[in-house]
Amino acid sequence: EPEVTQTPSHQVTQMGQEVILRCVPISNHLYFYWYRQILGQKVEFLVSFYNNEISEKSEIFDDQFSVERPDGSNFTLKIRSTKLEDSAMYFCASSARTGRADTQYFGPGTRLTVL
Amino acid sequence: AQSVSQHNHHVILSEAASLELGCNYSYGGTVNLFWYVQYPGQHLQLLLKYFSGDPLVKGIKGFEAEFIKSKFSFNLRKPSVQWSDTAEYFCAVNSGAGGYNKLIFGAGTRLAVHP
């Protein structure tokens, strides 16, 4: 069964550094998402992406964050200057379509630790 | 704003006991409802989903959920749990108000099943 994959599984970085989290969505999916889960808190929506554009973003997704689909298979989340509070598990998801009948499939996550 | 409430944060059961995990959401329009499961060290996996039709939905591994529109609820049930059901369970909703773009998650219920 096709799966969403994410790399790396764990990233440790210093405060102020840039990080890029990578995702390979399911191959025939067109809609891509990032979510994050701070330890002990809810899974929170960050951004959705379709047709090389952001469809929707949350208030968490400020100017420090950006997303890109640099080629036909990868979908990346960049954090420009990491803060301590960016430490979280970041999940990528994809869906074949959106609307009434979509299902989002999640990757295994990247645990980001900002020191 | 939409929200999802899961009433039980931690549940401990013995094998063969019955399970019911509560989920309520706060949106009055048309919604899609989901239960995801996260086994230790693994990614979020879809257990079951409700889009329309029969409000009693059957999912994988013997789980089912019932959508009760009048109560804004989508409780998850299993008649007889196994040790392998030890995991964290997340209720989630998306709606037309959000363009079905984003999933709103509950806080999760951590289930421990003892042999």
Side-chain angles (χ1 to χ4, degrees), chain A residues 60-85:
Chain A
I60 302 167
F61 194 88
D62 61 23
D63 292 343
Q64 292 298 313
F65 291 88
S66 62
V67 289
E68 194 179 29
R69 186 143 163 89
D71 53 43
S73 59
N74 289 284
F75 178 51
T76 62
L77 174 70
K78 183 193 292 186
I79 309 175
R80 227 177 307 281
S81 176
T82 49
K83 308 187 202 65
L84 294 176
E85 54 266 35

mmCIF file with all atom_site columns, all heavy atoms in Angstrom, chain A residues 60-85:
data_model
loop_
_atom_site.group_PDB
_atom_site.id
_atom_site.type_symbol
_atom_site.label_atom_id
_atom_site.label_alt_id
_atom_site.label_comp_id
_atom_site.label_asym_id
_atom_site.label_entity_id
_atom_site.label_seq_id
_atom_site.pdbx_PDB_ins_code
_atom_site.Cartn_x
_atom_site.Cartn_y
_atom_site.Cartn_z
_atom_site.occupancy
_atom_site.B_iso_or_equiv
_atom_site.pdbx_formal_charge
_atom_site.auth_seq_id
_atom_site.auth_comp_id
_atom_site.auth_asym_id
_atom_site.auth_atom_id
_atom_site.pdbx_PDB_model_num
ATOM 1   N N   . ILE A 1 60 ? -0.413 29.866 13.006 1.00 0.00 ? 60 ILE A N   1
ATOM 2   C CA  . ILE A 1 60 ? 0.925  29.399 13.391 1.00 0.00 ? 60 ILE A CA  1
ATOM 3   C C   . ILE A 1 60 ? 1.897  29.601 12.235 1.00 0.00 ? 60 ILE A C   1
ATOM 4   O O   . ILE A 1 60 ? 3.083  29.882 12.428 1.00 0.00 ? 60 ILE A O   1
ATOM 5   C CB  . ILE A 1 60 ? 0.891  27.903 13.755 1.00 0.00 ? 60 ILE A CB  1
ATOM 6   C CG1 . ILE A 1 60 ? -0.078 27.634 14.893 1.00 0.00 ? 60 ILE A CG1 1
ATOM 7   C CG2 . ILE A 1 60 ? 2.277  27.395 14.101 1.00 0.00 ? 60 ILE A CG2 1
ATOM 8   C CD1 . ILE A 1 60 ? -0.387 26.167 15.071 1.00 0.00 ? 60 ILE A CD1 1
ATOM 9   N N   . PHE A 1 61 ? 1.422  29.456 11.027 1.00 0.00 ? 61 PHE A N   1
ATOM 10  C CA  . PHE A 1 61 ? 2.249  29.465 9.824  1.00 0.00 ? 61 PHE A CA  1
ATOM 11  C C   . PHE A 1 61 ? 2.578  30.906 9.468  1.00 0.00 ? 61 PHE A C   1
ATOM 12  O O   . PHE A 1 61 ? 1.956  31.521 8.592  1.00 0.00 ? 61 PHE A O   1
ATOM 13  C CB  . PHE A 1 61 ? 1.505  28.760 8.686  1.00 0.00 ? 61 PHE A CB  1
ATOM 14  C CG  . PHE A 1 61 ? 2.372  28.411 7.511  1.00 0.00 ? 61 PHE A CG  1
ATOM 15  C CD1 . PHE A 1 61 ? 3.049  27.210 7.463  1.00 0.00 ? 61 PHE A CD1 1
ATOM 16  C CD2 . PHE A 1 61 ? 2.502  29.277 6.435  1.00 0.00 ? 61 PHE A CD2 1
ATOM 17  C CE1 . PHE A 1 61 ? 3.847  26.870 6.380  1.00 0.00 ? 61 PHE A CE1 1
ATOM 18  C CE2 . PHE A 1 61 ? 3.290  28.960 5.346  1.00 0.00 ? 61 PHE A CE2 1
ATOM 19  C CZ  . PHE A 1 61 ? 3.962  27.751 5.316  1.00 0.00 ? 61 PHE A CZ  1
ATOM 20  N N   . ASP A 1 62 ? 3.573  31.471 10.176 1.00 0.00 ? 62 ASP A N   1
ATOM 21  C CA  . ASP A 1 62 ? 3.922  32.866 9.934  1.00 0.00 ? 62 ASP A CA  1
ATOM 22  C C   . ASP A 1 62 ? 5.060  32.954 8.913  1.00 0.00 ? 62 ASP A C   1
ATOM 23  O O   . ASP A 1 62 ? 5.382  31.963 8.240  1.00 0.00 ? 62 ASP A O   1
ATOM 24  C CB  . ASP A 1 62 ? 4.285  33.553 11.266 1.00 0.00 ? 62 ASP A CB  1
ATOM 25  C CG  . ASP A 1 62 ? 5.479  32.901 11.956 1.00 0.00 ? 62 ASP A CG  1
ATOM 26  O OD1 . ASP A 1 62 ? 6.295  32.238 11.267 1.00 0.00 ? 62 ASP A OD1 1
ATOM 27  O OD2 . ASP A 1 62 ? 5.607  33.056 13.182 1.00 0.00 ? 62 ASP A OD2 1
ATOM 28  N N   . ASP A 1 63 ? 5.669  34.128 8.821  1.00 0.00 ? 63 ASP A N   1
ATOM 29  C CA  . ASP A 1 63 ? 6.685  34.354 7.790  1.00 0.00 ? 63 ASP A CA  1
ATOM 30  C C   . ASP A 1 63 ? 7.931  33.499 7.960  1.00 0.00 ? 63 ASP A C   1
ATOM 31  O O   . ASP A 1 63 ? 8.767  33.432 7.054  1.00 0.00 ? 63 ASP A O   1
ATOM 32  C CB  . ASP A 1 63 ? 7.099  35.834 7.788  1.00 0.00 ? 63 ASP A CB  1
ATOM 33  C CG  . ASP A 1 63 ? 5.970  36.727 7.322  1.00 0.00 ? 63 ASP A CG  1
ATOM 34  O OD1 . ASP A 1 63 ? 5.016  36.188 6.706  1.00 0.00 ? 63 ASP A OD1 1
ATOM 35  O OD2 . ASP A 1 63 ? 6.022  37.939 7.578  1.00 0.00 ? 63 ASP A OD2 1
ATOM 36  N N   . GLN A 1 64 ? 8.086  32.878 9.118  1.00 0.00 ? 64 GLN A N   1
ATOM 37  C CA  . GLN A 1 64 ? 9.239  32.004 9.326  1.00 0.00 ? 64 GLN A CA  1
ATOM 38  C C   . GLN A 1 64 ? 9.082  30.663 8.614  1.00 0.00 ? 64 GLN A C   1
ATOM 39  O O   . GLN A 1 64 ? 10.053 29.932 8.452  1.00 0.00 ? 64 GLN A O   1
ATOM 40  C CB  . GLN A 1 64 ? 9.433  31.738 10.833 1.00 0.00 ? 64 GLN A CB  1
ATOM 41  C CG  . GLN A 1 64 ? 9.868  32.962 11.602 1.00 0.00 ? 64 GLN A CG  1
ATOM 42  C CD  . GLN A 1 64 ? 11.216 33.463 11.121 1.00 0.00 ? 64 GLN A CD  1
ATOM 43  O OE1 . GLN A 1 64 ? 12.163 32.693 10.951 1.00 0.00 ? 64 GLN A OE1 1
ATOM 44  N NE2 . GLN A 1 64 ? 11.319 34.751 10.878 1.00 0.00 ? 64 GLN A NE2 1
ATOM 45  N N   . PHE A 1 65 ? 7.858  30.368 8.212  1.00 0.00 ? 65 PHE A N   1
ATOM 46  C CA  . PHE A 1 65 ? 7.583  29.081 7.574  1.00 0.00 ? 65 PHE A CA  1
ATOM 47  C C   . PHE A 1 65 ? 7.369  29.273 6.076  1.00 0.00 ? 65 PHE A C   1
ATOM 48  O O   . PHE A 1 65 ? 6.817  30.284 5.628  1.00 0.00 ? 65 PHE A O   1
ATOM 49  C CB  . PHE A 1 65 ? 6.307  28.462 8.160  1.00 0.00 ? 65 PHE A CB  1
ATOM 50  C CG  . PHE A 1 65 ? 6.415  28.003 9.585  1.00 0.00 ? 65 PHE A CG  1
ATOM 51  C CD1 . PHE A 1 65 ? 6.153  28.875 10.633 1.00 0.00 ? 65 PHE A CD1 1
ATOM 52  C CD2 . PHE A 1 65 ? 6.764  26.697 9.879  1.00 0.00 ? 65 PHE A CD2 1
ATOM 53  C CE1 . PHE A 1 65 ? 6.251  28.451 11.957 1.00 0.00 ? 65 PHE A CE1 1
ATOM 54  C CE2 . PHE A 1 65 ? 6.854  26.259 11.195 1.00 0.00 ? 65 PHE A CE2 1
ATOM 55  C CZ  . PHE A 1 65 ? 6.590  27.136 12.230 1.00 0.00 ? 65 PHE A CZ  1
ATOM 56  N N   . SER A 1 66 ? 7.770  28.284 5.311  1.00 0.00 ? 66 SER A N   1
ATOM 57  C CA  . SER A 1 66 ? 7.436  28.276 3.891  1.00 0.00 ? 66 SER A CA  1
ATOM 58  C C   . SER A 1 66 ? 7.341  26.822 3.435  1.00 0.00 ? 66 SER A C   1
ATOM 59  O O   . SER A 1 66 ? 7.906  25.919 4.062  1.00 0.00 ? 66 SER A O   1
ATOM 60  C CB  . SER A 1 66 ? 8.459  29.041 3.061  1.00 0.00 ? 66 SER A CB  1
ATOM 61  O OG  . SER A 1 66 ? 9.733  28.439 3.168  1.00 0.00 ? 66 SER A OG  1
ATOM 62  N N   . VAL A 1 67 ? 6.596  26.620 2.378  1.00 0.00 ? 67 VAL A N   1
ATOM 63  C CA  . VAL A 1 67 ? 6.467  25.285 1.800  1.00 0.00 ? 67 VAL A CA  1
ATOM 64  C C   . VAL A 1 67 ? 6.770  25.358 0.315  1.00 0.00 ? 67 VAL A C   1
ATOM 65  O O   . VAL A 1 67 ? 6.607  26.403 -0.327 1.00 0.00 ? 67 VAL A O   1
ATOM 66  C CB  . VAL A 1 67 ? 5.063  24.663 2.008  1.00 0.00 ? 67 VAL A CB  1
ATOM 67  C CG1 . VAL A 1 67 ? 4.841  24.277 3.452  1.00 0.00 ? 67 VAL A CG1 1
ATOM 68  C CG2 . VAL A 1 67 ? 3.969  25.594 1.517  1.00 0.00 ? 67 VAL A CG2 1
ATOM 69  N N   . GLU A 1 68 ? 7.203  24.218 -0.194 1.00 0.00 ? 68 GLU A N   1
ATOM 70  C CA  . GLU A 1 68 ? 7.597  24.184 -1.598 1.00 0.00 ? 68 GLU A CA  1
ATOM 71  C C   . GLU A 1 68 ? 7.442  22.770 -2.131 1.00 0.00 ? 68 GLU A C   1
ATOM 72  O O   . GLU A 1 68 ? 7.585  21.799 -1.380 1.00 0.00 ? 68 GLU A O   1
ATOM 73  C CB  . GLU A 1 68 ? 9.074  24.602 -1.704 1.00 0.00 ? 68 GLU A CB  1
ATOM 74  C CG  . GLU A 1 68 ? 9.536  24.931 -3.079 1.00 0.00 ? 68 GLU A CG  1
ATOM 75  C CD  . GLU A 1 68 ? 10.998 25.368 -3.105 1.00 0.00 ? 68 GLU A CD  1
ATOM 76  O OE1 . GLU A 1 68 ? 11.763 24.928 -2.240 1.00 0.00 ? 68 GLU A OE1 1
ATOM 77  O OE2 . GLU A 1 68 ? 11.355 26.122 -4.008 1.00 0.00 ? 68 GLU A OE2 1
ATOM 78  N N   . ARG A 1 69 ? 7.149  22.683 -3.409 1.00 0.00 ? 69 ARG A N   1
ATOM 79  C CA  . ARG A 1 69 ? 7.184  21.386 -4.081 1.00 0.00 ? 69 ARG A CA  1
ATOM 80  C C   . ARG A 1 69 ? 8.267  21.531 -5.155 1.00 0.00 ? 69 ARG A C   1
ATOM 81  O O   . ARG A 1 69 ? 7.983  21.923 -6.281 1.00 0.00 ? 69 ARG A O   1
ATOM 82  C CB  . ARG A 1 69 ? 5.823  21.082 -4.683 1.00 0.00 ? 69 ARG A CB  1
ATOM 83  C CG  . ARG A 1 69 ? 5.692  19.717 -5.289 1.00 0.00 ? 69 ARG A CG  1
ATOM 84  C CD  . ARG A 1 69 ? 4.321  19.161 -5.031 1.00 0.00 ? 69 ARG A CD  1
ATOM 85  N NE  . ARG A 1 69 ? 3.997  18.040 -5.907 1.00 0.00 ? 69 ARG A NE  1
ATOM 86  C CZ  . ARG A 1 69 ? 4.276  16.781 -5.624 1.00 0.00 ? 69 ARG A CZ  1
ATOM 87  N NH1 . ARG A 1 69 ? 4.920  16.474 -4.512 1.00 0.00 ? 69 ARG A NH1 1
ATOM 88  N NH2 . ARG A 1 69 ? 3.917  15.818 -6.452 1.00 0.00 ? 69 ARG A NH2 1
ATOM 89  N N   . PRO A 1 70 ? 9.495  21.261 -4.794 1.00 0.00 ? 70 PRO A N   1
ATOM 90  C CA  . PRO A 1 70 ? 10.613 21.578 -5.680 1.00 0.00 ? 70 PRO A CA  1
ATOM 91  C C   . PRO A 1 70 ? 10.690 20.707 -6.928 1.00 0.00 ? 70 PRO A C   1
ATOM 92  O O   . PRO A 1 70 ? 11.303 21.101 -7.913 1.00 0.00 ? 70 PRO A O   1
ATOM 93  C CB  . PRO A 1 70 ? 11.839 21.351 -4.780 1.00 0.00 ? 70 PRO A CB  1
ATOM 94  C CG  . PRO A 1 70 ? 11.376 20.389 -3.736 1.00 0.00 ? 70 PRO A CG  1
ATOM 95  C CD  . PRO A 1 70 ? 9.934  20.675 -3.516 1.00 0.00 ? 70 PRO A CD  1
ATOM 96  N N   . ASP A 1 71 ? 10.069 19.533 -6.860 1.00 0.00 ? 71 ASP A N   1
ATOM 97  C CA  . ASP A 1 71 ? 10.063 18.649 -8.014 1.00 0.00 ? 71 ASP A CA  1
ATOM 98  C C   . ASP A 1 71 ? 8.769  17.861 -7.970 1.00 0.00 ? 71 ASP A C   1
ATOM 99  O O   . ASP A 1 71 ? 7.882  18.164 -7.181 1.00 0.00 ? 71 ASP A O   1
ATOM 100 C CB  . ASP A 1 71 ? 11.298 17.729 -7.991 1.00 0.00 ? 71 ASP A CB  1
ATOM 101 C CG  . ASP A 1 71 ? 11.419 16.988 -6.673 1.00 0.00 ? 71 ASP A CG  1
ATOM 102 O OD1 . ASP A 1 71 ? 10.390 16.497 -6.170 1.00 0.00 ? 71 ASP A OD1 1
ATOM 103 O OD2 . ASP A 1 71 ? 12.528 16.889 -6.132 1.00 0.00 ? 71 ASP A OD2 1
ATOM 104 N N   . GLY A 1 72 ? 8.662  16.850 -8.809 1.00 0.00 ? 72 GLY A N   1
ATOM 105 C CA  . GLY A 1 72 ? 7.393  16.131 -8.895 1.00 0.00 ? 72 GLY A CA  1
ATOM 106 C C   . GLY A 1 72 ? 7.078  15.209 -7.746 1.00 0.00 ? 72 GLY A C   1
ATOM 107 O O   . GLY A 1 72 ? 5.986  14.658 -7.688 1.00 0.00 ? 72 GLY A O   1
ATOM 108 N N   . SER A 1 73 ? 8.058  15.037 -6.829 1.00 0.00 ? 73 SER A N   1
ATOM 109 C CA  . SER A 1 73 ? 7.789  14.059 -5.789 1.00 0.00 ? 73 SER A CA  1
ATOM 110 C C   . SER A 1 73 ? 7.920  14.607 -4.372 1.00 0.00 ? 73 SER A C   1
ATOM 111 O O   . SER A 1 73 ? 7.256  14.118 -3.476 1.00 0.00 ? 73 SER A O   1
ATOM 112 C CB  . SER A 1 73 ? 8.715  12.847 -5.946 1.00 0.00 ? 73 SER A CB  1
ATOM 113 O OG  . SER A 1 73 ? 10.063 13.259 -5.872 1.00 0.00 ? 73 SER A OG  1
ATOM 114 N N   . ASN A 1 74 ? 8.749  15.616 -4.149 1.00 0.00 ? 74 ASN A N   1
ATOM 115 C CA  . ASN A 1 74 ? 8.980  16.083 -2.789 1.00 0.00 ? 74 ASN A CA  1
ATOM 116 C C   . ASN A 1 74 ? 8.088  17.259 -2.415 1.00 0.00 ? 74 ASN A C   1
ATOM 117 O O   . ASN A 1 74 ? 7.679  18.047 -3.274 1.00 0.00 ? 74 ASN A O   1
ATOM 118 C CB  . ASN A 1 74 ? 10.447 16.514 -2.632 1.00 0.00 ? 74 ASN A CB  1
ATOM 119 C CG  . ASN A 1 74 ? 11.386 15.327 -2.640 1.00 0.00 ? 74 ASN A CG  1
ATOM 120 O OD1 . ASN A 1 74 ? 11.477 14.606 -1.658 1.00 0.00 ? 74 ASN A OD1 1
ATOM 121 N ND2 . ASN A 1 74 ? 12.050 15.123 -3.760 1.00 0.00 ? 74 ASN A ND2 1
ATOM 122 N N   . PHE A 1 75 ? 7.830  17.360 -1.135 1.00 0.00 ? 75 PHE A N   1
ATOM 123 C CA  . PHE A 1 75 ? 7.084  18.492 -0.582 1.00 0.00 ? 75 PHE A CA  1
ATOM 124 C C   . PHE A 1 75 ? 7.820  18.873 0.691  1.00 0.00 ? 75 PHE A C   1
ATOM 125 O O   . PHE A 1 75 ? 8.017  18.034 1.570  1.00 0.00 ? 75 PHE A O   1
ATOM 126 C CB  . PHE A 1 75 ? 5.646  18.054 -0.294 1.00 0.00 ? 75 PHE A CB  1
ATOM 127 C CG  . PHE A 1 75 ? 4.763  19.099 0.323  1.00 0.00 ? 75 PHE A CG  1
ATOM 128 C CD1 . PHE A 1 75 ? 4.657  20.362 -0.234 1.00 0.00 ? 75 PHE A CD1 1
ATOM 129 C CD2 . PHE A 1 75 ? 4.012  18.808 1.447  1.00 0.00 ? 75 PHE A CD2 1
ATOM 130 C CE1 . PHE A 1 75 ? 3.833  21.326 0.330  1.00 0.00 ? 75 PHE A CE1 1
ATOM 131 C CE2 . PHE A 1 75 ? 3.182  19.757 2.028  1.00 0.00 ? 75 PHE A CE2 1
ATOM 132 C CZ  . PHE A 1 75 ? 3.088  21.013 1.464  1.00 0.00 ? 75 PHE A CZ  1
ATOM 133 N N   . THR A 1 76 ? 8.273  20.119 0.772  1.00 0.00 ? 76 THR A N   1
ATOM 134 C CA  . THR A 1 76 ? 9.136  20.491 1.897  1.00 0.00 ? 76 THR A CA  1
ATOM 135 C C   . THR A 1 76 ? 8.508  21.584 2.754  1.00 0.00 ? 76 THR A C   1
ATOM 136 O O   . THR A 1 76 ? 7.729  22.412 2.263  1.00 0.00 ? 76 THR A O   1
ATOM 137 C CB  . THR A 1 76 ? 10.505 20.991 1.395  1.00 0.00 ? 76 THR A CB  1
ATOM 138 O OG1 . THR A 1 76 ? 10.317 22.148 0.595  1.00 0.00 ? 76 THR A OG1 1
ATOM 139 C CG2 . THR A 1 76 ? 11.217 19.911 0.602  1.00 0.00 ? 76 THR A CG2 1
ATOM 140 N N   . LEU A 1 77 ? 8.894  21.555 4.019  1.00 0.00 ? 77 LEU A N   1
ATOM 141 C CA  . LEU A 1 77 ? 8.549  22.614 4.962  1.00 0.00 ? 77 LEU A CA  1
ATOM 142 C C   . LEU A 1 77 ? 9.860  23.217 5.446  1.00 0.00 ? 77 LEU A C   1
ATOM 143 O O   . LEU A 1 77 ? 10.720 22.496 5.959  1.00 0.00 ? 77 LEU A O   1
ATOM 144 C CB  . LEU A 1 77 ? 7.764  22.055 6.151  1.00 0.00 ? 77 LEU A CB  1
ATOM 145 C CG  . LEU A 1 77 ? 7.466  23.032 7.283  1.00 0.00 ? 77 LEU A CG  1
ATOM 146 C CD1 . LEU A 1 77 ? 6.445  24.081 6.850  1.00 0.00 ? 77 LEU A CD1 1
ATOM 147 C CD2 . LEU A 1 77 ? 6.952  22.293 8.524  1.00 0.00 ? 77 LEU A CD2 1
ATOM 148 N N   . LYS A 1 78 ? 10.001 24.528 5.257  1.00 0.00 ? 78 LYS A N   1
ATOM 149 C CA  . LYS A 1 78 ? 11.204 25.211 5.714  1.00 0.00 ? 78 LYS A CA  1
ATOM 150 C C   . LYS A 1 78 ? 10.844 26.113 6.874  1.00 0.00 ? 78 LYS A C   1
ATOM 151 O O   . LYS A 1 78 ? 9.857  26.854 6.824  1.00 0.00 ? 78 LYS A O   1
ATOM 152 C CB  . LYS A 1 78 ? 11.821 26.053 4.590  1.00 0.00 ? 78 LYS A CB  1
ATOM 153 C CG  . LYS A 1 78 ? 13.118 26.732 4.984  1.00 0.00 ? 78 LYS A CG  1
ATOM 154 C CD  . LYS A 1 78 ? 13.573 27.802 4.000  1.00 0.00 ? 78 LYS A CD  1
ATOM 155 C CE  . LYS A 1 78 ? 13.979 27.263 2.684  1.00 0.00 ? 78 LYS A CE  1
ATOM 156 N NZ  . LYS A 1 78 ? 14.551 28.332 1.794  1.00 0.00 ? 78 LYS A NZ  1
ATOM 157 N N   . ILE A 1 79 ? 11.666 26.038 7.903  1.00 0.00 ? 79 ILE A N   1
ATOM 158 C CA  . ILE A 1 79 ? 11.572 27.001 9.004  1.00 0.00 ? 79 ILE A CA  1
ATOM 159 C C   . ILE A 1 79 ? 12.835 27.830 8.940  1.00 0.00 ? 79 ILE A C   1
ATOM 160 O O   . ILE A 1 79 ? 13.948 27.300 9.071  1.00 0.00 ? 79 ILE A O   1
ATOM 161 C CB  . ILE A 1 79 ? 11.421 26.316 10.372 1.00 0.00 ? 79 ILE A CB  1
ATOM 162 C CG1 . ILE A 1 79 ? 10.289 25.289 10.342 1.00 0.00 ? 79 ILE A CG1 1
ATOM 163 C CG2 . ILE A 1 79 ? 11.142 27.368 11.457 1.00 0.00 ? 79 ILE A CG2 1
ATOM 164 C CD1 . ILE A 1 79 ? 10.154 24.469 11.626 1.00 0.00 ? 79 ILE A CD1 1
ATOM 165 N N   . ARG A 1 80 ? 12.659 29.133 8.726  1.00 0.00 ? 80 ARG A N   1
ATOM 166 C CA  . ARG A 1 80 ? 13.803 29.986 8.385  1.00 0.00 ? 80 ARG A CA  1
ATOM 167 C C   . ARG A 1 80 ? 14.759 30.193 9.555  1.00 0.00 ? 80 ARG A C   1
ATOM 168 O O   . ARG A 1 80 ? 15.958 30.105 9.410  1.00 0.00 ? 80 ARG A O   1
ATOM 169 C CB  . ARG A 1 80 ? 13.288 31.351 7.909  1.00 0.00 ? 80 ARG A CB  1
ATOM 170 C CG  . ARG A 1 80 ? 13.941 31.862 6.637  1.00 0.00 ? 80 ARG A CG  1
ATOM 171 C CD  . ARG A 1 80 ? 13.328 33.168 6.198  1.00 0.00 ? 80 ARG A CD  1
ATOM 172 N NE  . ARG A 1 80 ? 11.884 33.128 6.075  1.00 0.00 ? 80 ARG A NE  1
ATOM 173 C CZ  . ARG A 1 80 ? 11.236 32.605 5.054  1.00 0.00 ? 80 ARG A CZ  1
ATOM 174 N NH1 . ARG A 1 80 ? 11.861 32.073 4.057  1.00 0.00 ? 80 ARG A NH1 1
ATOM 175 N NH2 . ARG A 1 80 ? 9.910  32.642 5.025  1.00 0.00 ? 80 ARG A NH2 1
ATOM 176 N N   . SER A 1 81 ? 14.228 30.480 10.694 1.00 0.00 ? 81 SER A N   1
ATOM 177 C CA  . SER A 1 81 ? 15.050 30.766 11.870 1.00 0.00 ? 81 SER A CA  1
ATOM 178 C C   . SER A 1 81 ? 14.357 30.129 13.069 1.00 0.00 ? 81 SER A C   1
ATOM 179 O O   . SER A 1 81 ? 13.422 30.698 13.633 1.00 0.00 ? 81 SER A O   1
ATOM 180 C CB  . SER A 1 81 ? 15.197 32.275 12.052 1.00 0.00 ? 81 SER A CB  1
ATOM 181 O OG  . SER A 1 81 ? 15.913 32.567 13.237 1.00 0.00 ? 81 SER A OG  1
ATOM 182 N N   . THR A 1 82 ? 14.790 28.944 13.419 1.00 0.00 ? 82 THR A N   1
ATOM 183 C CA  . THR A 1 82 ? 14.048 28.155 14.394 1.00 0.00 ? 82 THR A CA  1
ATOM 184 C C   . THR A 1 82 ? 14.086 28.780 15.786 1.00 0.00 ? 82 THR A C   1
ATOM 185 O O   . THR A 1 82 ? 15.078 29.402 16.197 1.00 0.00 ? 82 THR A O   1
ATOM 186 C CB  . THR A 1 82 ? 14.609 26.727 14.474 1.00 0.00 ? 82 THR A CB  1
ATOM 187 O OG1 . THR A 1 82 ? 16.041 26.785 14.614 1.00 0.00 ? 82 THR A OG1 1
ATOM 188 C CG2 . THR A 1 82 ? 14.261 25.941 13.231 1.00 0.00 ? 82 THR A CG2 1
ATOM 189 N N   . LYS A 1 83 ? 12.975 28.578 16.489 1.00 0.00 ? 83 LYS A N   1
ATOM 190 C CA  . LYS A 1 83 ? 12.860 29.018 17.884 1.00 0.00 ? 83 LYS A CA  1
ATOM 191 C C   . LYS A 1 83 ? 12.681 27.771 18.747 1.00 0.00 ? 83 LYS A C   1
ATOM 192 O O   . LYS A 1 83 ? 12.306 26.702 18.252 1.00 0.00 ? 83 LYS A O   1
ATOM 193 C CB  . LYS A 1 83 ? 11.653 29.929 18.058 1.00 0.00 ? 83 LYS A CB  1
ATOM 194 C CG  . LYS A 1 83 ? 11.560 31.088 17.116 1.00 0.00 ? 83 LYS A CG  1
ATOM 195 C CD  . LYS A 1 83 ? 10.397 31.977 17.556 1.00 0.00 ? 83 LYS A CD  1
ATOM 196 C CE  . LYS A 1 83 ? 9.832  32.854 16.517 1.00 0.00 ? 83 LYS A CE  1
ATOM 197 N NZ  . LYS A 1 83 ? 9.181  32.378 15.393 1.00 0.00 ? 83 LYS A NZ  1
ATOM 198 N N   . LEU A 1 84 ? 12.894 27.947 20.032 1.00 0.00 ? 84 LEU A N   1
ATOM 199 C CA  . LEU A 1 84 ? 12.722 26.824 20.954 1.00 0.00 ? 84 LEU A CA  1
ATOM 200 C C   . LEU A 1 84 ? 11.316 26.239 20.840 1.00 0.00 ? 84 LEU A C   1
ATOM 201 O O   . LEU A 1 84 ? 11.137 25.019 20.881 1.00 0.00 ? 84 LEU A O   1
ATOM 202 C CB  . LEU A 1 84 ? 12.980 27.257 22.395 1.00 0.00 ? 84 LEU A CB  1
ATOM 203 C CG  . LEU A 1 84 ? 14.392 27.675 22.738 1.00 0.00 ? 84 LEU A CG  1
ATOM 204 C CD1 . LEU A 1 84 ? 14.466 28.178 24.180 1.00 0.00 ? 84 LEU A CD1 1
ATOM 205 C CD2 . LEU A 1 84 ? 15.365 26.528 22.545 1.00 0.00 ? 84 LEU A CD2 1
ATOM 206 N N   . GLU A 1 85 ? 10.332 27.122 20.677 1.00 0.00 ? 85 GLU A N   1
ATOM 207 C CA  . GLU A 1 85 ? 8.938  26.666 20.641 1.00 0.00 ? 85 GLU A CA  1
ATOM 208 C C   . GLU A 1 85 ? 8.559  25.973 19.341 1.00 0.00 ? 85 GLU A C   1
ATOM 209 O O   . GLU A 1 85 ? 7.428  25.496 19.199 1.00 0.00 ? 85 GLU A O   1
ATOM 210 C CB  . GLU A 1 85 ? 7.982  27.828 20.917 1.00 0.00 ? 85 GLU A CB  1
ATOM 211 C CG  . GLU A 1 85 ? 8.164  29.035 20.033 1.00 0.00 ? 85 GLU A CG  1
ATOM 212 C CD  . GLU A 1 85 ? 9.067  30.099 20.649 1.00 0.00 ? 85 GLU A CD  1
ATOM 213 O OE1 . GLU A 1 85 ? 10.043 29.748 21.361 1.00 0.00 ? 85 GLU A OE1 1
ATOM 214 O OE2 . GLU A 1 85 ? 8.799  31.292 20.400 1.00 0.00 ? 85 GLU A OE2 1
#
